[in-house]
Amino acid sequence: MNEKELIESGNMKMDWARNHMPVLAIIREKFEEEKPLKGLKVGMALHVEAKTAVLVETLAAGGAEVSITGCNPLSTQDDVALALNIRKNISCFARYGVGSQEYYEAIDRVLDSRPDITIDDGADLIFKLHKERTDLLPNILGGCEETTTGVHRLHAMEKEGALKMPVIAVNDAMTKYLFDNRYGTGQSAWDGINRTTNLLVAGKNVVVAGYGWCGRGVAMRAAGLGASVIVTEVDPIRALEARMDGYRVMKMSDAAKIGEIFVTTTGNRDILTAEHFKSMPDGAILANSGHFNVEIDMEALNSLAKTVRTVRNNIKEYDIGGKRINVIAEGRLVNLAAGDGHPAEVMDMSFANQALCVRYIAENKLPNGVHRVPQELDNYVARMKLESMGISIDELTEAQRSYMSGWECGT
Ligand SMILES: NC(=O)c1ccc[n+]([C@@H]2O[C@H](COP(=O)([O-])OP(=O)(O)OC[C@H]3O[C@@H](n4cnc5c(N)ncnc54)[C@H](O)[C@@H]3O)[C@@H](O)[C@H]2O)c1
Ligand SMILES: O=c1[nH]cnc2c1ncn2[C@@H]1O[C@H](CO)[C@@H](O)[C@H]1O
Ligand SMILES: N[C@@H](CCS)C(=O)O
Protein backbone atom coordinates (compact mmCIF):
# COMPACT_ATOMS: atom_id res chain seq x y z
CA MET A 1 0.00 0.00 0.00
CA ASN A 2 1.23 3.52 -0.72
CA GLU A 3 0.98 6.25 1.91
CA LYS A 4 -2.40 7.50 0.70
CA GLU A 5 -3.88 4.00 0.83
CA LEU A 6 -2.40 3.41 4.27
CA ILE A 7 -3.98 6.60 5.58
CA GLU A 8 -7.33 5.57 4.08
CA SER A 9 -7.05 2.18 5.74
CA GLY A 10 -6.15 3.81 9.09
CA ASN A 11 -9.11 6.19 8.80
CA MET A 12 -11.45 3.29 8.05
CA LYS A 13 -10.26 1.39 11.11
CA MET A 14 -10.75 4.51 13.23
CA ASP A 15 -14.30 5.00 11.89
CA TRP A 16 -15.19 1.42 12.79
CA ALA A 17 -13.73 1.71 16.29
CA ARG A 18 -15.33 5.14 16.90
CA ASN A 19 -18.75 3.77 15.99
CA HIS A 20 -18.39 1.13 18.71
CA MET A 21 -17.12 3.38 21.50
CA PRO A 22 -20.28 5.22 22.67
CA VAL A 23 -19.06 6.29 26.13
CA LEU A 24 -15.98 7.90 24.67
CA ALA A 25 -18.28 9.63 22.15
CA ILE A 26 -20.26 11.25 24.99
CA ILE A 27 -17.02 12.44 26.57
CA ARG A 28 -15.71 13.70 23.22
CA GLU A 29 -18.84 15.79 22.71
CA LYS A 30 -18.40 17.39 26.13
CA PHE A 31 -14.70 17.94 25.43
CA GLU A 32 -15.52 19.65 22.12
CA GLU A 33 -17.90 22.03 23.89
CA GLU A 34 -15.91 22.76 27.02
CA LYS A 35 -12.28 22.38 25.87
CA PRO A 36 -11.06 21.30 29.33
CA LEU A 37 -7.58 20.48 28.02
CA LYS A 38 -6.99 23.75 26.17
CA GLY A 39 -3.34 24.73 26.22
CA LEU A 40 -2.19 21.39 27.65
CA LYS A 41 0.19 18.89 26.09
CA VAL A 42 -0.48 15.20 26.55
CA GLY A 43 2.34 12.68 25.94
CA MET A 44 1.30 9.09 25.40
CA ALA A 45 2.89 5.64 25.03
CA LEU A 46 0.07 3.21 24.28
CA HIS A 47 -0.61 0.44 21.77
CA VAL A 48 -1.04 2.50 18.59
CA GLU A 49 -4.09 1.06 16.89
CA ALA A 50 -7.60 2.24 16.09
CA LYS A 51 -9.21 2.36 19.55
CA THR A 52 -6.21 4.21 20.96
CA ALA A 53 -6.48 6.60 18.02
CA VAL A 54 -10.07 7.36 19.06
CA LEU A 55 -8.80 8.23 22.54
CA VAL A 56 -6.13 10.46 21.00
CA GLU A 57 -8.67 12.38 18.90
CA THR A 58 -10.91 12.70 21.98
CA LEU A 59 -8.07 14.38 23.90
CA ALA A 60 -7.33 16.62 20.90
CA ALA A 61 -11.06 17.49 20.74
CA GLY A 62 -10.69 18.66 24.35
CA GLY A 63 -8.06 21.16 23.24
CA ALA A 64 -4.90 19.16 23.99
CA GLU A 65 -1.85 18.89 21.79
CA VAL A 66 -1.06 15.18 21.73
CA SER A 67 2.21 13.34 21.05
CA ILE A 68 2.07 9.56 20.98
CA THR A 69 4.29 6.55 20.44
CA GLY A 70 3.85 2.81 20.95
CA CYS A 71 4.25 0.84 24.16
CA ASN A 72 5.18 -2.40 22.41
CA PRO A 73 7.20 -2.70 19.19
CA LEU A 74 4.84 -5.28 17.71
CA SER A 75 1.46 -3.70 18.49
CA THR A 76 1.72 -0.59 16.32
CA GLN A 77 -0.50 -0.53 13.24
CA ASP A 78 1.31 1.68 10.72
CA ASP A 79 -1.82 2.68 8.83
CA VAL A 80 -3.39 4.03 12.03
CA ALA A 81 -0.12 5.75 13.00
CA LEU A 82 -0.11 7.57 9.65
CA ALA A 83 -3.81 8.44 9.87
CA LEU A 84 -3.18 9.97 13.30
CA ASN A 85 -0.18 11.93 12.14
CA ILE A 86 -2.11 13.92 9.54
CA ARG A 87 -4.57 15.17 12.15
CA LYS A 88 -4.35 18.64 13.65
CA ASN A 89 -2.52 18.89 16.99
CA ILE A 90 -1.47 15.22 16.90
CA SER A 91 2.05 13.83 16.35
CA CYS A 92 2.62 10.10 16.20
CA PHE A 93 6.13 8.60 16.37
CA ALA A 94 5.22 4.90 16.46
CA ARG A 95 6.29 2.40 13.82
CA TYR A 96 5.71 -1.35 13.67
CA GLY A 97 8.63 -3.69 14.35
CA VAL A 98 11.20 -1.15 15.54
CA GLY A 99 14.31 -2.26 17.41
CA SER A 100 15.01 -1.28 20.99
CA GLN A 101 16.96 1.89 20.10
CA GLU A 102 14.27 3.31 17.81
CA TYR A 103 11.58 2.34 20.34
CA TYR A 104 13.21 4.39 23.11
CA GLU A 105 14.09 7.25 20.73
CA ALA A 106 10.37 7.56 19.99
CA ILE A 107 9.67 7.72 23.75
CA ASP A 108 12.17 10.58 23.87
CA ARG A 109 10.44 12.36 21.02
CA VAL A 110 7.16 12.26 22.95
CA LEU A 111 8.96 13.70 25.98
CA ASP A 112 10.57 16.35 23.77
CA SER A 113 7.06 17.81 23.43
CA ARG A 114 7.35 18.68 27.16
CA PRO A 115 4.03 17.07 28.18
CA ASP A 116 1.93 18.38 31.05
CA ILE A 117 0.18 15.03 31.37
CA THR A 118 1.39 11.53 30.45
CA ILE A 119 -0.50 8.36 29.60
CA ASP A 120 1.47 5.11 29.82
CA ASP A 121 0.88 1.42 29.34
CA GLY A 122 3.74 -0.15 31.25
CA ALA A 123 5.24 3.11 32.62
CA ASP A 124 7.81 3.68 29.83
CA LEU A 125 7.36 7.48 29.79
CA ILE A 126 7.46 7.71 33.58
CA PHE A 127 10.66 5.63 33.83
CA LYS A 128 12.42 7.81 31.30
CA LEU A 129 11.18 10.94 33.05
CA HIS A 130 12.62 9.70 36.35
CA LYS A 131 15.86 8.25 35.00
CA GLU A 132 17.01 10.50 32.16
CA ARG A 133 14.66 13.43 31.63
CA THR A 134 14.28 14.66 35.21
CA ASP A 135 14.44 18.28 33.99
CA LEU A 136 10.90 17.77 32.63
CA LEU A 137 9.40 16.59 35.93
CA PRO A 138 8.58 20.05 37.36
CA ASN A 139 6.35 20.69 34.34
CA ILE A 140 4.28 17.53 34.85
CA LEU A 141 0.80 17.85 36.35
CA GLY A 142 0.32 14.09 36.47
CA GLY A 143 0.09 10.84 34.58
CA CYS A 144 -2.27 7.93 33.94
CA GLU A 145 -1.29 4.25 33.86
CA GLU A 146 -3.25 1.74 31.79
CA THR A 147 -2.06 -1.68 32.93
CA THR A 148 -1.60 -3.90 36.00
CA THR A 149 2.16 -4.26 35.67
CA GLY A 150 2.64 -0.51 35.22
CA VAL A 151 0.62 0.10 38.39
CA HIS A 152 2.73 -2.44 40.32
CA ARG A 153 5.91 -0.70 39.21
CA LEU A 154 4.53 2.71 40.23
CA HIS A 155 3.60 1.41 43.69
CA ALA A 156 7.17 0.09 44.02
CA MET A 157 8.54 3.52 43.04
CA GLU A 158 6.21 5.21 45.51
CA LYS A 159 7.25 2.86 48.32
CA GLU A 160 10.89 3.73 47.76
CA GLY A 161 10.12 7.45 47.66
CA ALA A 162 11.23 7.53 44.02
CA LEU A 163 7.96 8.65 42.43
CA LYS A 164 8.11 12.39 41.80
CA MET A 165 4.72 12.98 40.18
CA PRO A 166 1.08 12.10 40.75
CA VAL A 167 -0.20 9.14 38.72
CA ILE A 168 -3.73 7.79 38.47
CA ALA A 169 -3.91 3.98 38.38
CA VAL A 170 -6.49 3.77 35.60
CA ASN A 171 -6.08 -0.01 35.49
CA ASP A 172 -7.55 -0.25 38.99
CA ALA A 173 -10.88 1.34 38.08
CA MET A 174 -13.52 -1.36 38.30
CA THR A 175 -14.85 -0.37 34.88
CA LYS A 176 -11.33 -1.12 33.59
CA TYR A 177 -9.90 -4.31 35.05
CA LEU A 178 -13.17 -6.20 35.54
CA PHE A 179 -13.96 -5.82 31.84
CA ASP A 180 -10.77 -5.07 29.88
CA ASN A 181 -8.49 -7.51 31.68
CA ARG A 182 -11.12 -10.24 31.94
CA TYR A 183 -13.51 -10.10 28.96
CA GLY A 184 -11.11 -8.14 26.75
CA THR A 185 -8.11 -10.42 27.24
CA GLY A 186 -10.36 -13.48 27.34
CA GLN A 187 -11.64 -12.75 23.85
CA SER A 188 -8.69 -11.06 22.18
CA ALA A 189 -6.03 -13.54 23.32
CA TRP A 190 -8.01 -16.34 21.64
CA ASP A 191 -8.64 -14.15 18.63
CA GLY A 192 -4.86 -13.68 18.27
CA ILE A 193 -4.08 -17.37 18.83
CA ASN A 194 -6.83 -18.68 16.58
CA ARG A 195 -6.32 -16.37 13.62
CA THR A 196 -2.55 -16.99 13.79
CA THR A 197 -2.58 -20.79 14.20
CA ASN A 198 -5.80 -21.72 12.36
CA LEU A 199 -5.96 -24.78 14.67
CA LEU A 200 -8.73 -26.27 16.77
CA VAL A 201 -8.96 -25.47 20.49
CA ALA A 202 -11.71 -28.00 21.25
CA GLY A 203 -10.37 -31.16 22.82
CA LYS A 204 -6.95 -29.70 23.59
CA ASN A 205 -5.27 -29.33 26.95
CA VAL A 206 -4.92 -25.58 27.42
CA VAL A 207 -2.68 -24.40 30.25
CA VAL A 208 -3.39 -20.91 31.60
CA ALA A 209 -0.65 -19.54 33.86
CA GLY A 210 -2.07 -17.11 36.42
CA TYR A 211 -5.69 -16.87 37.53
CA GLY A 212 -5.91 -13.11 37.91
CA TRP A 213 -8.28 -10.94 35.87
CA CYS A 214 -6.65 -11.79 32.56
CA GLY A 215 -6.18 -15.46 33.40
CA ARG A 216 -9.80 -16.00 34.35
CA GLY A 217 -10.91 -14.45 31.06
CA VAL A 218 -8.53 -16.61 29.05
CA ALA A 219 -9.54 -19.77 30.96
CA MET A 220 -13.27 -19.02 30.66
CA ARG A 221 -13.10 -18.53 26.89
CA ALA A 222 -10.84 -21.60 26.42
CA ALA A 223 -13.45 -23.68 28.22
CA GLY A 224 -16.13 -22.15 25.98
CA LEU A 225 -14.14 -23.25 22.93
CA GLY A 226 -14.14 -26.82 24.25
CA ALA A 227 -10.66 -27.04 25.74
CA SER A 228 -9.75 -29.00 28.82
CA VAL A 229 -8.34 -26.15 30.93
CA ILE A 230 -5.49 -26.41 33.42
CA VAL A 231 -4.59 -23.44 35.62
CA THR A 232 -1.28 -22.80 37.37
CA GLU A 233 -1.01 -20.30 40.24
CA VAL A 234 1.17 -19.26 43.16
CA ASP A 235 -1.66 -17.69 45.16
CA PRO A 236 -3.58 -20.34 47.14
CA ILE A 237 -6.87 -18.42 47.10
CA ARG A 238 -6.83 -17.88 43.37
CA ALA A 239 -5.79 -21.52 42.84
CA LEU A 240 -8.80 -22.58 44.91
CA GLU A 241 -11.09 -20.30 42.91
CA ALA A 242 -9.80 -21.81 39.67
CA ARG A 243 -10.48 -25.32 40.98
CA MET A 244 -13.99 -24.42 42.08
CA ASP A 245 -14.62 -22.73 38.73
CA GLY A 246 -14.10 -26.21 37.33
CA TYR A 247 -10.50 -26.22 36.09
CA ARG A 248 -7.68 -28.58 36.92
CA VAL A 249 -4.98 -26.90 38.99
CA MET A 250 -1.41 -28.17 39.18
CA LYS A 251 2.22 -27.12 39.17
CA MET A 252 3.62 -25.90 35.86
CA SER A 253 6.18 -28.73 35.94
CA ASP A 254 3.25 -31.19 35.71
CA ALA A 255 1.11 -29.09 33.36
CA ALA A 256 4.06 -28.72 30.97
CA LYS A 257 4.02 -32.47 30.28
CA ILE A 258 0.43 -32.50 29.03
CA GLY A 259 -0.31 -28.99 27.77
CA GLU A 260 -0.87 -28.46 24.06
CA ILE A 261 -1.49 -24.71 24.15
CA PHE A 262 0.06 -22.55 26.90
CA VAL A 263 -1.06 -18.98 27.64
CA THR A 264 0.81 -16.93 30.25
CA THR A 265 -1.08 -14.13 32.03
CA THR A 266 0.88 -13.61 35.25
CA GLY A 267 2.68 -10.27 34.89
CA ASN A 268 5.71 -12.19 36.13
CA ARG A 269 8.87 -13.56 34.53
CA ASP A 270 10.15 -17.11 33.89
CA ILE A 271 6.76 -18.79 33.85
CA LEU A 272 7.78 -21.12 31.02
CA THR A 273 11.45 -22.02 31.27
CA ALA A 274 13.99 -24.52 29.87
CA GLU A 275 12.83 -27.19 32.33
CA HIS A 276 9.26 -26.86 30.98
CA PHE A 277 10.21 -26.68 27.28
CA LYS A 278 12.08 -29.97 27.62
CA SER A 279 9.07 -31.79 29.05
CA MET A 280 6.41 -30.34 26.68
CA PRO A 281 4.77 -32.52 24.03
CA ASP A 282 6.01 -32.13 20.46
CA GLY A 283 4.24 -29.26 18.71
CA ALA A 284 3.23 -27.36 21.87
CA ILE A 285 2.04 -23.81 21.16
CA LEU A 286 3.10 -20.98 23.47
CA ALA A 287 1.57 -17.53 23.75
CA ASN A 288 1.87 -14.71 26.24
CA SER A 289 -1.01 -12.39 27.07
CA GLY A 290 0.42 -10.96 30.28
CA HIS A 291 3.55 -8.94 30.68
CA PHE A 292 6.22 -8.00 28.11
CA ASN A 293 8.21 -10.82 26.55
CA VAL A 294 9.71 -12.32 29.70
CA GLU A 295 6.89 -14.61 30.84
CA ILE A 296 8.20 -17.16 28.33
CA ASP A 297 11.97 -17.43 28.74
CA MET A 298 12.79 -16.74 25.10
CA GLU A 299 16.55 -16.61 25.76
CA ALA A 300 16.50 -20.14 27.17
CA LEU A 301 14.36 -21.36 24.28
CA ASN A 302 16.76 -19.81 21.79
CA SER A 303 19.75 -21.47 23.41
CA LEU A 304 18.04 -24.88 23.54
CA ALA A 305 17.02 -24.64 19.88
CA LYS A 306 18.95 -26.57 17.22
CA THR A 307 17.00 -24.73 14.54
CA VAL A 308 14.51 -21.88 14.49
CA ARG A 309 12.24 -21.27 11.52
CA THR A 310 9.11 -19.33 10.71
CA VAL A 311 6.41 -21.92 10.07
CA ARG A 312 3.51 -19.55 9.59
CA ASN A 313 3.13 -15.80 9.70
CA ASN A 314 3.96 -14.76 13.30
CA ILE A 315 4.77 -18.31 14.49
CA LYS A 316 8.35 -19.46 15.10
CA GLU A 317 9.14 -23.11 15.55
CA TYR A 318 12.02 -23.99 17.86
CA ASP A 319 13.40 -27.51 17.29
CA ILE A 320 14.98 -28.44 20.61
CA GLY A 321 16.15 -31.89 19.51
CA GLY A 322 13.45 -33.99 17.97
CA LYS A 323 10.77 -31.88 19.60
CA ARG A 324 9.19 -28.71 18.21
CA ILE A 325 7.93 -25.81 20.30
CA ASN A 326 5.90 -23.10 18.54
CA VAL A 327 5.90 -19.54 19.84
CA ILE A 328 3.40 -16.93 18.66
CA ALA A 329 4.51 -13.31 18.14
CA GLU A 330 7.92 -13.70 19.80
CA GLY A 331 6.32 -14.14 23.20
CA ARG A 332 4.89 -10.62 23.16
CA LEU A 333 1.27 -9.80 23.97
CA VAL A 334 -0.53 -12.21 21.67
CA ASN A 335 -3.76 -10.24 21.47
CA LEU A 336 -1.98 -7.16 20.16
CA ALA A 337 1.09 -8.56 18.40
CA ALA A 338 -0.92 -11.27 16.62
CA GLY A 339 -4.35 -9.61 16.62
CA ASP A 340 -6.12 -6.27 16.75
CA GLY A 341 -6.20 -6.05 20.54
CA HIS A 342 -9.26 -5.91 22.73
CA PRO A 343 -12.75 -5.43 21.30
CA ALA A 344 -13.75 -1.80 20.81
CA GLU A 345 -16.66 -1.95 23.28
CA VAL A 346 -14.27 -2.91 26.08
CA MET A 347 -11.63 -0.30 25.21
CA ASP A 348 -14.52 2.18 25.23
CA MET A 349 -14.66 1.80 29.02
CA SER A 350 -10.88 1.73 29.57
CA PHE A 351 -10.34 4.81 27.45
CA ALA A 352 -13.36 6.64 28.85
CA ASN A 353 -11.57 6.29 32.20
CA GLN A 354 -8.34 7.59 30.62
CA ALA A 355 -10.05 10.65 29.13
CA LEU A 356 -11.89 11.45 32.37
CA CYS A 357 -8.70 11.03 34.41
CA VAL A 358 -6.71 13.31 32.11
CA ARG A 359 -9.41 15.93 32.67
CA TYR A 360 -9.33 15.25 36.43
CA ILE A 361 -5.57 15.85 36.50
CA ALA A 362 -5.99 19.05 34.49
CA GLU A 363 -8.60 20.37 36.95
CA ASN A 364 -7.21 19.18 40.30
CA LYS A 365 -3.81 19.64 41.84
CA LEU A 366 -2.79 16.16 42.98
CA PRO A 367 0.09 15.39 45.33
CA ASN A 368 2.88 13.06 44.15
CA GLY A 369 2.01 9.38 44.48
CA VAL A 370 -0.31 6.74 43.04
CA HIS A 371 -3.99 7.73 43.11
CA ARG A 372 -7.16 5.74 42.63
CA VAL A 373 -9.62 6.66 39.89
CA PRO A 374 -12.28 8.72 41.73
CA GLN A 375 -15.28 6.48 42.43
CA GLU A 376 -17.68 8.94 40.80
CA LEU A 377 -15.81 8.67 37.50
CA ASP A 378 -15.86 4.86 37.67
CA ASN A 379 -19.62 4.93 38.36
CA TYR A 380 -20.18 7.42 35.55
CA VAL A 381 -18.45 5.12 33.04
CA ALA A 382 -20.60 2.17 34.18
CA ARG A 383 -23.81 4.19 33.95
CA MET A 384 -23.00 5.56 30.51
CA LYS A 385 -22.06 2.08 29.28
CA LEU A 386 -25.33 0.60 30.54
CA GLU A 387 -27.24 3.47 28.92
CA SER A 388 -25.46 2.90 25.61
CA MET A 389 -26.49 -0.76 25.81
CA GLY A 390 -30.12 0.20 26.43
CA ILE A 391 -30.09 -1.29 29.92
CA SER A 392 -31.96 0.34 32.82
CA ILE A 393 -31.47 -0.76 36.41
CA ASP A 394 -33.50 -0.30 39.58
CA GLU A 395 -32.85 2.39 42.17
CA LEU A 396 -32.98 2.00 45.94
CA THR A 397 -36.13 3.38 47.53
CA GLU A 398 -35.75 5.59 50.62
CA ALA A 399 -37.08 2.70 52.78
CA GLN A 400 -34.53 0.30 51.25
CA ARG A 401 -31.69 2.76 51.74
CA SER A 402 -32.46 3.21 55.43
CA TYR A 403 -33.02 -0.57 55.89
CA MET A 404 -29.60 -1.27 54.40
CA SER A 405 -27.83 1.34 56.51
CA GLY A 406 -29.63 0.75 59.84
CA TRP A 407 -29.13 -2.04 62.39
CA GLU A 408 -32.32 -2.05 64.44
CA CYS A 409 -34.85 -3.72 62.15
CA GLY A 410 -34.71 -7.12 60.52
CA THR A 411 -32.43 -8.89 63.01
N1 LIG B 1 -2.85 -8.66 26.99
C1 LIG B 1 -3.49 -7.61 27.43
O1 LIG B 1 -4.09 -6.88 26.66
C2 LIG B 1 -3.51 -7.33 28.88
C3 LIG B 1 -4.65 -6.75 29.45
C4 LIG B 1 -4.65 -6.43 30.80
C5 LIG B 1 -3.51 -6.72 31.55
N2 LIG B 1 -2.41 -7.26 30.96
C6 LIG B 1 -1.21 -7.64 31.71
O2 LIG B 1 -1.41 -9.00 32.12
C7 LIG B 1 -0.77 -9.27 33.36
C8 LIG B 1 -1.79 -9.81 34.36
O3 LIG B 1 -2.75 -8.82 34.65
P1 LIG B 1 -3.96 -9.12 35.68
O4 LIG B 1 -4.73 -7.86 35.75
O5 LIG B 1 -4.58 -10.40 35.34
O6 LIG B 1 -3.09 -9.27 37.02
P2 LIG B 1 -3.50 -10.04 38.36
O7 LIG B 1 -2.55 -9.55 39.41
O8 LIG B 1 -4.96 -9.97 38.59
O9 LIG B 1 -3.15 -11.57 38.02
C9 LIG B 1 -1.89 -12.14 37.91
C10 LIG B 1 -1.96 -13.54 38.54
O10 LIG B 1 -0.76 -14.24 38.21
C11 LIG B 1 -0.39 -14.99 39.36
N3 LIG B 1 1.04 -15.33 39.29
C12 LIG B 1 2.11 -14.54 39.58
N4 LIG B 1 3.25 -15.26 39.44
C13 LIG B 1 2.89 -16.50 39.04
C14 LIG B 1 3.61 -17.70 38.73
N5 LIG B 1 4.94 -17.76 38.84
N6 LIG B 1 2.90 -18.79 38.35
C15 LIG B 1 1.54 -18.77 38.26
N7 LIG B 1 0.80 -17.67 38.56
C16 LIG B 1 1.48 -16.55 38.93
C17 LIG B 1 -0.74 -14.09 40.53
O11 LIG B 1 -0.86 -14.82 41.73
C18 LIG B 1 -2.07 -13.49 40.06
O12 LIG B 1 -3.18 -14.26 40.49
C19 LIG B 1 -0.14 -7.94 33.75
O13 LIG B 1 1.18 -7.94 33.30
C20 LIG B 1 -0.95 -6.91 33.00
O14 LIG B 1 -0.24 -5.72 32.84
C21 LIG B 1 -2.41 -7.60 29.65
O1 LIG C 1 -6.62 -2.89 21.31
C1 LIG C 1 -6.08 -2.30 22.25
N1 LIG C 1 -5.71 -1.00 22.15
C2 LIG C 1 -5.08 -0.33 23.14
N2 LIG C 1 -4.78 -0.90 24.30
C3 LIG C 1 -5.12 -2.20 24.47
C4 LIG C 1 -5.77 -2.95 23.47
N3 LIG C 1 -5.96 -4.20 23.93
C5 LIG C 1 -5.47 -4.23 25.17
N4 LIG C 1 -4.97 -3.02 25.51
C6 LIG C 1 -4.37 -2.61 26.76
O2 LIG C 1 -3.09 -3.14 26.83
C7 LIG C 1 -2.72 -3.27 28.18
C8 LIG C 1 -1.57 -4.22 28.33
O3 LIG C 1 -0.45 -3.73 27.66
C9 LIG C 1 -4.00 -3.68 28.87
O4 LIG C 1 -4.07 -3.20 30.19
C10 LIG C 1 -5.11 -3.15 27.99
O5 LIG C 1 -5.86 -2.11 28.59
N1 LIG D 1 3.34 -2.16 27.25
C1 LIG D 1 3.92 -3.38 27.73
C2 LIG D 1 3.25 -3.78 29.01
C3 LIG D 1 2.40 -4.93 28.99
S1 LIG D 1 1.94 -5.47 30.59
C4 LIG D 1 3.90 -4.43 26.63
O1 LIG D 1 3.16 -4.29 25.68
O2 LIG D 1 4.66 -5.40 26.72
Side-chain angles (χ1 to χ4, degrees):
M1 273 198 259
N2 62 33
E3 191 169 307
K4 187 166 163 268
E5 288 164 339
L6 280 169
I7 291 172
E8 248 170 53
S9 154
N11 281 334
M12 249 170 70
K13 287 182 179 176
M14 283 175 68
D15 288 345
W16 178 262
R18 195 184 301 111
N19 287 337
H20 294 88
M21 301 178 84
V23 182
L24 207 49
I26 296 168
I27 295 170
R28 193 164 50 252
E29 237 171 70
K30 273 221 171 88
F31 275 20
E32 259 154 18
E33 259 170 57
E34 299 169 11
K35 300 281 177 214
L37 308 179
K38 193 164 188 279
L40 291 177
K41 290 184 197 138
V42 178
M44 304 171 65
L46 287 187
H47 301 290
V48 175
E49 56 69 59
K51 285 91 68 189
T52 304
V54 178
L55 170 64
V56 171
E57 65 176 14
T58 302
L59 300 174
E65 213 175 285
V66 186
S67 303
I68 179 167
T69 185
C71 67
N72 179 315
L74 297 189
S75 64
T76 297
Q77 300 196 7
D78 286 335
D79 50 356
V80 175
L82 279 172
L84 268 180
N85 229 341
I86 57 160
R87 284 169 160 73
K88 206 170 151 238
N89 290 331
I90 297 172
S91 311
C92 180
F93 306 111
R95 214 161 54 81
Y96 176 80
V98 290
S100 174
Q101 190 184 338
E102 202 181 321
Y103 179 86
Y104 286 106
E105 275 170 11
I107 299 271
D108 265 321
R109 293 191 68 189
V110 168
L111 293 178
D112 288 344
S113 73
R114 305 186 71 80
D116 301 282
I117 297 172
T118 59
I119 306 182
D120 263 309
D121 177 323
D124 281 339
L125 290 169
I126 290 193
F127 287 152
K128 230 186 208 292
L129 274 170
H130 284 72
K131 283 193 173 143
E132 294 166 25
R133 309 286 305 264
T134 48
D135 56 306
L136 299 174
L137 276 170
N139 190 49
I140 303 270
L141 299 175
C144 294
E145 172 54 52
E146 171 76 7
T147 201
T148 316
T149 291
V151 171
H152 286 171
R153 299 284 186 266
L154 293 166
H155 279 302
M157 284 176 82
E158 184 178 34
K159 208 164 149 204
E160 279 181 21
L163 184 63
K164 306 292 181 206
M165 59 185 273
V167 190
I168 302 186
V170 170
N171 177 75
D172 295 354
M174 281 190 281
T175 47
K176 198 282 184 181
Y177 72 87
L178 287 176
F179 301 90
D180 171 315
N181 301 27
R182 181 169 38 173
Y183 303 111
T185 312
Q187 181 168 322
S188 65
W190 286 109
D191 175 23
I193 295 167
N194 292 342
R195 70 161 83 171
T196 308
T197 60
N198 191 29
L199 295 176
L200 189 68
V201 178
K204 288 207 169 69
N205 284 336
V206 167
V207 179
V208 180
Y211 202 62
W213 296 107
C214 292
R216 51 195 75 199
V218 171
M220 172 171 55
R221 295 305 179 228
L225 287 166
S228 169
V229 180
I230 297 164
V231 169
T232 71
E233 250 299 343
V234 290
D235 178 327
I237 294 171
R238 288 188 155 179
L240 204 51
E241 277 187 283
R243 183 66 194 120
M244 298 217 182
D245 284 343
Y247 309 120
R248 280 184 286 168
V249 177
M250 59 185 81
K251 282 173 175 270
M252 183 57 90
S253 50
D254 294 322
K257 295 177 199 150
I258 52 175
E260 293 167 278
I261 303 179
F262 294 80
V263 189
T264 55
T265 66
T266 68
N268 209 339
R269 57 177 300 163
D270 305 332
I271 303 306
L272 293 172
T273 62
E275 172 210 343
H276 305 125
F277 304 140
K278 286 182 200 156
S279 64
M280 284 176 186
D282 180 32
I285 291 167
L286 318 188
N288 166 39
S289 200
H291 169 49
F292 301 105
N293 53 346
V294 295
E295 297 220 15
I296 303 169
D297 187 348
M298 293 304 299
E299 251 176 56
L301 188 54
N302 264 305
S303 18
L304 279 181
K306 312 266 181 272
T307 59
V308 182
R309 61 185 189 119
T310 298
V311 284
R312 205 177 142 83
N313 186 27
N314 233 348
I315 305 182
K316 279 205 179 121
E317 176 200 84
Y318 295 76
D319 188 325
I320 60 169
K323 181 190 290 184
R324 292 155 302 175
I325 309 282
N326 297 298
V327 180
I328 306 180
E330 301 175 17
R332 291 198 179 262
L333 299 187
V334 70
N335 57 326
L336 284 141
D340 285 318
H342 286 0
E345 297 95 327
V346 152
M347 293 317 294
D348 185 29
M349 290 197 274
S350 306
F351 287 164
N353 276 294
Q354 287 286 5
L356 293 173
C357 286
V358 168
R359 179 175 195 159
Y360 189 81
I361 291 169
E363 293 176 348
N364 295 276
K365 178 143 185 50
L366 300 177
N368 293 350
V370 182
H371 298 260
R372 292 197 65 82
V373 173
Q375 191 61 50
E376 67 272 17
L377 300 188
D378 213 349
N379 290 346
Y380 174 80
V381 173
R383 285 196 177 279
M384 291 303 107
K385 192 70 186 175
L386 281 170
E387 204 176 295
S388 76
M389 295 166 85
I391 298 172
S392 307
I393 59 169
D394 292 321
E395 273 181 43
L396 288 174
T397 62
E398 225 12 85
Q400 286 173 329
R401 205 183 297 280
S402 80
Y403 182 79
M404 295 299 279
S405 56
W407 58 276
E408 277 175 325
C409 47
T411 41

